[in-house]
Amino acid sequence: MERLQKVLAHAGVASRRHCEELIVQGRVQVNGKVVRELGTRVDPGTDRIAVDGRPVRLEQHVYLLLYKPTGVITSVSDPQGRRVVTDLLKGVKERVYPVGRLDYDTSGLLLMTNDGELANMLAHPSYEIDKVYRAWVRGVPSPEKVNRLARGINLEDGMTAPAQARLLKTSAAGDRALLELTIHEGRNRQVRRMCEAIGHPVLTLERVKLGFLTLEGLEPGQYRPLTTAEVERLKRGLTRDRKIPPHRR
């Protein structure tokens, strides 16, 4: 379920603010009834929505898995004119948005969708979706430093949650190492800051897995639609796995 004004905006009726005005003015009907409450939630797949009596053509939900390359902004527009992830989605007519973000200089798995409810759930920290990153770092971290990553690192915005961390391999010259980190938080540049904190700055970074989804079969810049089974599995997992804070139980 999504907020009515958001559904209207995604359908191209008007800006979200103008759509809110249309609702308050009583010009929007849902299943034949006038709706004036801005908090109203609707199901774009089943509810009949009209503005001034004219049916609104709603977008079908689209779910895409994109292999984001480096040098691309995780956004739908950029005032500096740099490439954005939607530039890579040739042939996609629906307006889709990235779920979370990957930095300009980070590559890897990025979900794109116009399903706002699913996007919000995937991005919310209470659902604790595993994100797996592989980072080539400068130097070779000692086992104790790898354990520090797993236990949690005290960054300027607080202690990171326990993670999974392992050293996969080192370069032939012994001047670089490939680390794999599995985290479920979504702090800004978190993996880079964690590695910097143990004295091994990141040289390259890629997200290789999100939940059960991987980059298998894709090259940088390519994308594919999620299968119906994958979408259903995502939704089932979110419903089942949400971690509710103790004070709200």
Side-chain angles (χ1 to χ4, degrees):
M1 302 289 283
E2 299 184 52
R3 290 184 180 274
L4 177 57
Q5 58 265 40
K6 184 176 181 180
V7 172
L8 291 172
H10 281 182
V13 172
S15 69
R16 191 176 303 190
R17 184 179 297 276
H18 188 199
C19 289
E20 291 175 350
E21 295 173 358
L22 294 175
I23 295 170
V24 172
Q25 293 167 4
R27 297 170 59 185
V28 180
Q29 303 85 40
V30 177
N31 297 325
K33 297 181 179 180
V34 172
V35 173
R36 296 177 182 269
E37 297 294 327
L38 293 180
T40 300
R41 290 183 175 272
V42 296
D43 184 344
T46 59
D47 288 325
R48 293 176 288 107
I49 303 173
V51 176
D52 294 333
R54 294 189 294 273
V56 174
R57 182 180 177 276
L58 301 178
E59 292 182 335
Q60 294 296 313
H61 280 161
V62 175
Y63 309 89
L64 305 174
L65 192 160
L66 170 68
Y67 191 157
K68 176 195 170 300
T70 58
V72 178
I73 301 293
T74 304
S75 178
V76 296
S77 63
D78 181 62
Q80 299 181 39
R82 293 170 295 182
R83 293 181 77 198
V84 296
V85 289
T86 48
D87 292 336
L88 303 172
L89 306 180
K90 305 301 183 185
V92 178
K93 298 179 180 180
E94 294 82 2
R95 289 178 291 181
V96 294
Y97 304 86
V99 179
R101 64 179 296 107
L102 291 175
D103 298 327
Y104 181 79
D105 48 359
T106 299
S107 63
L109 195 157
L110 183 69
L111 287 183
M112 306 282 294
T113 186
N114 55 1
D115 185 340
E117 183 178 18
L118 180 64
N120 289 335
M121 293 170 71
L122 286 168
H124 199 284
S126 66
Y127 290 92
E128 299 192 357
I129 305 300
D130 282 345
K131 307 175 185 77
V132 182
Y133 294 84
R134 288 186 177 172
W136 278 101
V137 299
R138 183 174 296 127
V140 180
S142 66
E144 172 53 29
K145 287 185 175 181
V146 176
N147 287 335
R148 280 184 60 197
L149 292 173
R151 293 195 303 267
I153 300 291
N154 192 14
L155 302 176
E156 60 269 25
D157 51 355
M159 183 70 73
T160 62
Q164 298 176 42
R166 58 178 180 147
L167 179 64
L168 296 182
K169 62 181 177 180
T170 60
S171 64
D175 58 347
R176 296 180 300 140
L178 181 61
L179 290 174
E180 182 177 271
L181 281 84
T182 302
I183 64 174
H184 59 258
E185 296 176 287
R187 304 190 200 184
N188 185 42
R189 299 178 71 84
Q190 180 176 339
V191 172
R192 292 179 182 275
R193 291 189 292 140
M194 290 173 69
C195 292
E196 182 76 33
I198 65 167
H200 295 276
V202 168
L203 301 172
T204 63
L205 181 63
E206 182 172 75
R207 181 158 70 190
V208 298
K209 194 173 182 182
L210 178 68
F212 63 88
L213 297 169
T214 71
L215 293 168
E216 183 179 1
L218 294 178
E219 296 293 331
Q222 294 182 337
Y223 70 92
R224 68 168 179 84
L226 295 189
T227 67
T228 300
E230 287 173 330
V231 175
E232 291 176 351
R233 183 176 173 185
L234 269 180
K235 293 180 177 180
R236 285 198 308 270
L238 290 168
T239 302
R240 182 183 64 248
D241 295 339
R242 185 178 188 185
K243 308 298 189 296
I244 302 174
H247 68 279
R248 299 182 64 180
R249 288 177 180 165

Short mmCIF file of all heavy atoms in Angstrom, two decimals, residues 53-96:
data_model
loop_
_atom_site.label_atom_id
_atom_site.label_comp_id
_atom_site.label_asym_id
_atom_site.label_seq_id
_atom_site.Cartn_x
_atom_site.Cartn_y
_atom_site.Cartn_z
N GLY A 53 -13.24 12.65 -11.97
CA GLY A 53 -14.06 11.66 -12.66
C GLY A 53 -13.35 10.92 -13.77
O GLY A 53 -13.90 9.96 -14.32
N ARG A 54 -12.11 11.31 -14.09
CA ARG A 54 -11.37 10.65 -15.17
C ARG A 54 -10.42 9.61 -14.57
O ARG A 54 -9.61 9.94 -13.69
CB ARG A 54 -10.60 11.67 -16.00
CG ARG A 54 -11.49 12.64 -16.77
CD ARG A 54 -10.65 13.47 -17.75
NE ARG A 54 -9.73 14.34 -17.04
CZ ARG A 54 -10.02 15.56 -16.61
NH1 ARG A 54 -11.24 16.04 -16.80
NH2 ARG A 54 -9.12 16.29 -16.00
N PRO A 55 -10.49 8.37 -15.04
CA PRO A 55 -9.62 7.32 -14.48
C PRO A 55 -8.14 7.66 -14.67
O PRO A 55 -7.74 8.23 -15.69
CB PRO A 55 -10.00 6.07 -15.30
CG PRO A 55 -11.37 6.36 -15.83
CD PRO A 55 -11.41 7.85 -16.07
N VAL A 56 -7.36 7.32 -13.68
CA VAL A 56 -5.93 7.53 -13.73
C VAL A 56 -5.26 6.22 -14.14
O VAL A 56 -5.51 5.17 -13.54
CB VAL A 56 -5.39 7.98 -12.35
CG1 VAL A 56 -3.86 8.06 -12.37
CG2 VAL A 56 -5.99 9.33 -11.97
N ARG A 57 -4.42 6.30 -15.16
CA ARG A 57 -3.69 5.11 -15.60
C ARG A 57 -2.47 4.95 -14.70
O ARG A 57 -1.56 5.77 -14.71
CB ARG A 57 -3.24 5.24 -17.05
CG ARG A 57 -2.51 4.01 -17.58
CD ARG A 57 -2.10 4.22 -19.03
NE ARG A 57 -1.33 3.09 -19.52
CZ ARG A 57 -0.03 2.93 -19.34
NH1 ARG A 57 0.65 3.84 -18.67
NH2 ARG A 57 0.59 1.87 -19.83
N LEU A 58 -2.50 3.90 -13.89
CA LEU A 58 -1.43 3.68 -12.93
C LEU A 58 -0.31 2.85 -13.53
O LEU A 58 -0.55 1.97 -14.36
CB LEU A 58 -1.99 2.96 -11.69
CG LEU A 58 -3.10 3.69 -10.96
CD1 LEU A 58 -3.59 2.86 -9.79
CD2 LEU A 58 -2.62 5.06 -10.47
N GLU A 59 0.91 3.16 -13.11
CA GLU A 59 2.05 2.38 -13.56
C GLU A 59 2.05 1.00 -12.90
O GLU A 59 1.71 0.87 -11.73
CB GLU A 59 3.35 3.10 -13.19
CG GLU A 59 3.59 4.38 -13.94
CD GLU A 59 4.92 5.01 -13.56
OE1 GLU A 59 5.40 4.74 -12.44
OE2 GLU A 59 5.46 5.76 -14.37
N GLN A 60 2.42 0.01 -13.68
CA GLN A 60 2.64 -1.31 -13.10
C GLN A 60 3.94 -1.30 -12.31
O GLN A 60 4.90 -0.63 -12.69
CB GLN A 60 2.70 -2.36 -14.21
CG GLN A 60 1.40 -2.54 -14.96
CD GLN A 60 0.29 -3.07 -14.07
OE1 GLN A 60 0.50 -4.04 -13.33
NE2 GLN A 60 -0.87 -2.45 -14.14
N HIS A 61 3.97 -2.04 -11.22
CA HIS A 61 5.20 -2.12 -10.45
C HIS A 61 6.29 -2.82 -11.26
O HIS A 61 6.05 -3.84 -11.90
CB HIS A 61 4.96 -2.87 -9.13
CG HIS A 61 4.32 -2.01 -8.09
ND1 HIS A 61 3.66 -2.52 -6.99
CD2 HIS A 61 4.24 -0.66 -7.97
CE1 HIS A 61 3.21 -1.53 -6.25
NE2 HIS A 61 3.55 -0.40 -6.82
N VAL A 62 7.47 -2.24 -11.21
CA VAL A 62 8.62 -2.77 -11.93
C VAL A 62 9.74 -2.98 -10.93
O VAL A 62 9.97 -2.14 -10.05
CB VAL A 62 9.08 -1.78 -13.04
CG1 VAL A 62 10.36 -2.27 -13.71
CG2 VAL A 62 7.99 -1.59 -14.06
N TYR A 63 10.44 -4.10 -11.06
CA TYR A 63 11.54 -4.43 -10.16
C TYR A 63 12.74 -4.83 -11.00
O TYR A 63 12.70 -5.83 -11.72
CB TYR A 63 11.15 -5.59 -9.23
CG TYR A 63 9.83 -5.38 -8.51
CD1 TYR A 63 8.63 -5.80 -9.10
CD2 TYR A 63 9.78 -4.77 -7.26
CE1 TYR A 63 7.42 -5.61 -8.45
CE2 TYR A 63 8.57 -4.56 -6.61
CZ TYR A 63 7.40 -4.99 -7.21
OH TYR A 63 6.19 -4.79 -6.57
N LEU A 64 13.82 -4.04 -10.90
CA LEU A 64 15.00 -4.28 -11.72
C LEU A 64 16.22 -4.46 -10.84
O LEU A 64 16.37 -3.79 -9.81
CB LEU A 64 15.24 -3.10 -12.66
CG LEU A 64 14.08 -2.70 -13.58
CD1 LEU A 64 14.42 -1.43 -14.34
CD2 LEU A 64 13.74 -3.83 -14.54
N LEU A 65 17.11 -5.35 -11.26
CA LEU A 65 18.40 -5.55 -10.62
C LEU A 65 19.46 -5.01 -11.55
O LEU A 65 19.65 -5.52 -12.66
CB LEU A 65 18.63 -7.04 -10.31
CG LEU A 65 19.79 -7.41 -9.39
CD1 LEU A 65 19.57 -8.82 -8.82
CD2 LEU A 65 21.12 -7.39 -10.15
N LEU A 66 20.15 -3.96 -11.12
CA LEU A 66 21.13 -3.28 -11.95
C LEU A 66 22.54 -3.53 -11.41
O LEU A 66 22.76 -3.48 -10.21
CB LEU A 66 20.85 -1.76 -11.93
CG LEU A 66 21.91 -0.84 -12.56
CD1 LEU A 66 21.97 -1.05 -14.07
CD2 LEU A 66 21.60 0.61 -12.23
N TYR A 67 23.46 -3.80 -12.33
CA TYR A 67 24.88 -3.90 -11.98
C TYR A 67 25.46 -2.50 -12.21
O TYR A 67 25.87 -2.16 -13.31
CB TYR A 67 25.57 -4.93 -12.86
CG TYR A 67 26.97 -5.33 -12.44
CD1 TYR A 67 27.51 -6.55 -12.83
CD2 TYR A 67 27.78 -4.49 -11.66
CE1 TYR A 67 28.80 -6.93 -12.47
CE2 TYR A 67 29.06 -4.86 -11.28
CZ TYR A 67 29.56 -6.08 -11.70
OH TYR A 67 30.84 -6.44 -11.33
N LYS A 68 25.48 -1.71 -11.16
CA LYS A 68 25.94 -0.33 -11.29
C LYS A 68 27.46 -0.31 -11.47
O LYS A 68 28.19 -0.85 -10.66
CB LYS A 68 25.57 0.48 -10.05
CG LYS A 68 26.11 1.91 -10.06
CD LYS A 68 26.04 2.52 -8.68
CE LYS A 68 26.77 3.83 -8.57
NZ LYS A 68 28.21 3.77 -8.86
N PRO A 69 27.92 0.38 -12.50
CA PRO A 69 29.38 0.55 -12.64
C PRO A 69 29.85 1.76 -11.83
O PRO A 69 29.03 2.57 -11.36
CB PRO A 69 29.55 0.81 -14.14
CG PRO A 69 28.25 1.40 -14.58
CD PRO A 69 27.18 0.89 -13.65
N THR A 70 31.14 1.90 -11.65
CA THR A 70 31.67 3.11 -11.03
C THR A 70 31.47 4.28 -12.00
O THR A 70 31.26 4.08 -13.20
CB THR A 70 33.16 2.96 -10.70
OG1 THR A 70 33.88 2.66 -11.90
CG2 THR A 70 33.38 1.85 -9.68
N GLY A 71 31.55 5.48 -11.47
CA GLY A 71 31.41 6.66 -12.31
C GLY A 71 29.99 7.00 -12.69
O GLY A 71 29.75 7.72 -13.66
N VAL A 72 29.03 6.47 -11.92
CA VAL A 72 27.61 6.74 -12.16
C VAL A 72 26.97 7.13 -10.83
O VAL A 72 27.22 6.51 -9.80
CB VAL A 72 26.89 5.50 -12.76
CG1 VAL A 72 25.41 5.78 -12.97
CG2 VAL A 72 27.54 5.09 -14.08
N ILE A 73 26.13 8.16 -10.86
CA ILE A 73 25.47 8.66 -9.66
C ILE A 73 24.21 7.84 -9.36
O ILE A 73 23.41 7.57 -10.26
CB ILE A 73 25.08 10.14 -9.83
CG1 ILE A 73 26.31 11.00 -10.11
CG2 ILE A 73 24.34 10.66 -8.60
CD1 ILE A 73 27.27 11.09 -8.97
N THR A 74 24.03 7.47 -8.11
CA THR A 74 22.81 6.77 -7.70
C THR A 74 21.72 7.80 -7.48
O THR A 74 21.42 8.20 -6.35
CB THR A 74 23.04 5.93 -6.43
OG1 THR A 74 24.13 5.03 -6.65
CG2 THR A 74 21.80 5.12 -6.09
N SER A 75 21.12 8.24 -8.56
CA SER A 75 20.08 9.26 -8.53
C SER A 75 19.35 9.20 -9.86
O SER A 75 19.78 8.51 -10.80
CB SER A 75 20.69 10.64 -8.31
OG SER A 75 19.69 11.65 -8.33
N VAL A 76 18.24 9.92 -9.96
CA VAL A 76 17.52 9.99 -11.23
C VAL A 76 17.86 11.27 -11.99
O VAL A 76 17.43 11.45 -13.13
CB VAL A 76 15.99 9.88 -11.01
CG1 VAL A 76 15.63 8.53 -10.42
CG2 VAL A 76 15.49 11.01 -10.11
N SER A 77 18.62 12.18 -11.36
CA SER A 77 19.07 13.39 -12.04
C SER A 77 20.30 13.91 -11.32
O SER A 77 20.55 13.58 -10.16
CB SER A 77 17.97 14.46 -12.06
OG SER A 77 17.66 14.87 -10.74
N ASP A 78 21.07 14.73 -12.01
CA ASP A 78 22.26 15.32 -11.40
C ASP A 78 22.47 16.72 -11.95
O ASP A 78 22.61 16.89 -13.17
CB ASP A 78 23.49 14.46 -11.69
CG ASP A 78 24.75 15.04 -11.04
OD1 ASP A 78 24.78 15.14 -9.80
OD2 ASP A 78 25.67 15.40 -11.79
N PRO A 79 22.49 17.73 -11.08
CA PRO A 79 22.64 19.11 -11.56
C PRO A 79 23.98 19.36 -12.26
O PRO A 79 24.11 20.32 -13.02
CB PRO A 79 22.51 19.95 -10.28
CG PRO A 79 22.80 19.00 -9.15
CD PRO A 79 22.33 17.67 -9.63
N GLN A 80 24.98 18.50 -12.00
CA GLN A 80 26.28 18.67 -12.63
C GLN A 80 26.38 17.96 -13.98
O GLN A 80 27.42 17.99 -14.63
CB GLN A 80 27.38 18.15 -11.70
CG GLN A 80 27.45 18.88 -10.36
CD GLN A 80 28.56 18.34 -9.48
OE1 GLN A 80 29.64 18.02 -9.94
NE2 GLN A 80 28.27 18.22 -8.18
N GLY A 81 25.30 17.29 -14.37
CA GLY A 81 25.28 16.65 -15.68
C GLY A 81 26.00 15.32 -15.75
O GLY A 81 26.25 14.82 -16.85
N ARG A 82 26.31 14.72 -14.60
CA ARG A 82 26.98 13.43 -14.62
C ARG A 82 25.98 12.31 -14.92
O ARG A 82 24.77 12.49 -14.77
CB ARG A 82 27.67 13.18 -13.27
CG ARG A 82 28.83 14.11 -12.98
CD ARG A 82 29.31 13.99 -11.54
NE ARG A 82 28.28 14.43 -10.59
CZ ARG A 82 28.45 14.47 -9.27
NH1 ARG A 82 29.60 14.06 -8.75
NH2 ARG A 82 27.48 14.88 -8.48
N ARG A 83 26.49 11.17 -15.36
CA ARG A 83 25.62 10.02 -15.64
C ARG A 83 24.93 9.57 -14.36
O ARG A 83 25.54 9.52 -13.29
CB ARG A 83 26.41 8.85 -16.22
CG ARG A 83 26.98 9.08 -17.60
CD ARG A 83 27.71 7.83 -18.07
NE ARG A 83 26.79 6.80 -18.51
CZ ARG A 83 27.11 5.52 -18.65
NH1 ARG A 83 28.33 5.12 -18.34
NH2 ARG A 83 26.23 4.65 -19.08
N VAL A 84 23.66 9.22 -14.48
CA VAL A 84 22.89 8.71 -13.35
C VAL A 84 22.41 7.30 -13.70
O VAL A 84 22.43 6.89 -14.87
CB VAL A 84 21.70 9.62 -13.02
CG1 VAL A 84 22.18 10.99 -12.55
CG2 VAL A 84 20.76 9.77 -14.22
N VAL A 85 22.00 6.55 -12.68
CA VAL A 85 21.66 5.14 -12.90
C VAL A 85 20.51 4.96 -13.87
O VAL A 85 20.49 3.97 -14.62
CB VAL A 85 21.35 4.44 -11.56
CG1 VAL A 85 22.62 4.27 -10.75
CG2 VAL A 85 20.30 5.19 -10.76
N THR A 86 19.58 5.91 -13.93
CA THR A 86 18.47 5.74 -14.86
C THR A 86 18.92 5.88 -16.31
O THR A 86 18.22 5.42 -17.23
CB THR A 86 17.36 6.77 -14.55
OG1 THR A 86 17.93 8.07 -14.39
CG2 THR A 86 16.61 6.39 -13.27
N ASP A 87 20.09 6.47 -16.55
CA ASP A 87 20.62 6.53 -17.91
C ASP A 87 20.94 5.14 -18.45
O ASP A 87 21.04 4.94 -19.67
CB ASP A 87 21.89 7.39 -17.96
CG ASP A 87 21.63 8.86 -17.70
OD1 ASP A 87 20.49 9.31 -17.94
OD2 ASP A 87 22.56 9.55 -17.26
N LEU A 88 21.13 4.19 -17.54
CA LEU A 88 21.50 2.82 -17.94
C LEU A 88 20.28 1.96 -18.28
O LEU A 88 20.43 0.86 -18.79
CB LEU A 88 22.29 2.15 -16.81
CG LEU A 88 23.55 2.87 -16.34
CD1 LEU A 88 24.12 2.20 -15.09
CD2 LEU A 88 24.59 2.92 -17.45
N LEU A 89 19.09 2.47 -18.00
CA LEU A 89 17.88 1.65 -18.13
C LEU A 89 17.17 1.92 -19.45
O LEU A 89 16.02 2.35 -19.50
CB LEU A 89 16.93 1.91 -16.95
CG LEU A 89 17.54 1.73 -15.56
CD1 LEU A 89 16.51 2.02 -14.48
CD2 LEU A 89 18.09 0.31 -15.40
N LYS A 90 17.87 1.66 -20.53
CA LYS A 90 17.29 1.87 -21.85
C LYS A 90 16.10 0.92 -22.05
O LYS A 90 16.18 -0.26 -21.75
CB LYS A 90 18.33 1.63 -22.94
CG LYS A 90 19.60 2.47 -22.78
CD LYS A 90 19.30 3.97 -22.79
CE LYS A 90 20.58 4.78 -22.69
NZ LYS A 90 20.31 6.24 -22.57
N GLY A 91 15.01 1.46 -22.54
CA GLY A 91 13.83 0.65 -22.80
C GLY A 91 12.86 0.54 -21.64
O GLY A 91 11.78 -0.04 -21.79
N VAL A 92 13.22 1.09 -20.50
CA VAL A 92 12.32 1.06 -19.33
C VAL A 92 11.47 2.33 -19.36
O VAL A 92 11.98 3.44 -19.21
CB VAL A 92 13.11 0.97 -18.01
CG1 VAL A 92 12.15 1.00 -16.82
CG2 VAL A 92 13.96 -0.29 -17.99
N LYS A 93 10.16 2.18 -19.57
CA LYS A 93 9.27 3.33 -19.71
C LYS A 93 8.81 3.85 -18.35
O LYS A 93 8.54 5.04 -18.19
CB LYS A 93 8.05 2.94 -20.55
CG LYS A 93 8.40 2.53 -21.98
CD LYS A 93 7.15 2.14 -22.75
CE LYS A 93 7.51 1.72 -24.18
NZ LYS A 93 6.30 1.32 -24.94
N GLU A 94 8.69 2.96 -17.37
CA GLU A 94 8.21 3.38 -16.05
C GLU A 94 9.28 4.20 -15.33
O GLU A 94 10.47 4.00 -15.55
CB GLU A 94 7.82 2.17 -15.20
CG GLU A 94 6.63 1.38 -15.72
CD GLU A 94 7.00 0.40 -16.81
OE1 GLU A 94 8.21 0.31 -17.14
OE2 GLU A 94 6.10 -0.26 -17.34
N ARG A 95 8.84 5.10 -14.47
CA ARG A 95 9.77 5.88 -13.67
C ARG A 95 10.15 5.07 -12.44
O ARG A 95 9.31 4.85 -11.55
CB ARG A 95 9.13 7.22 -13.27
CG ARG A 95 8.98 8.17 -14.44
CD ARG A 95 8.32 9.45 -14.01
NE ARG A 95 6.92 9.22 -13.67
CZ ARG A 95 6.10 10.20 -13.27
NH1 ARG A 95 6.54 11.43 -13.15
NH2 ARG A 95 4.83 9.92 -12.98
N VAL A 96 11.37 4.61 -12.40
CA VAL A 96 11.84 3.81 -11.28
C VAL A 96 12.91 4.58 -10.51
O VAL A 96 13.52 5.50 -11.04
CB VAL A 96 12.39 2.44 -11.75
CG1 VAL A 96 11.29 1.60 -12.34
CG2 VAL A 96 13.52 2.63 -12.75
#
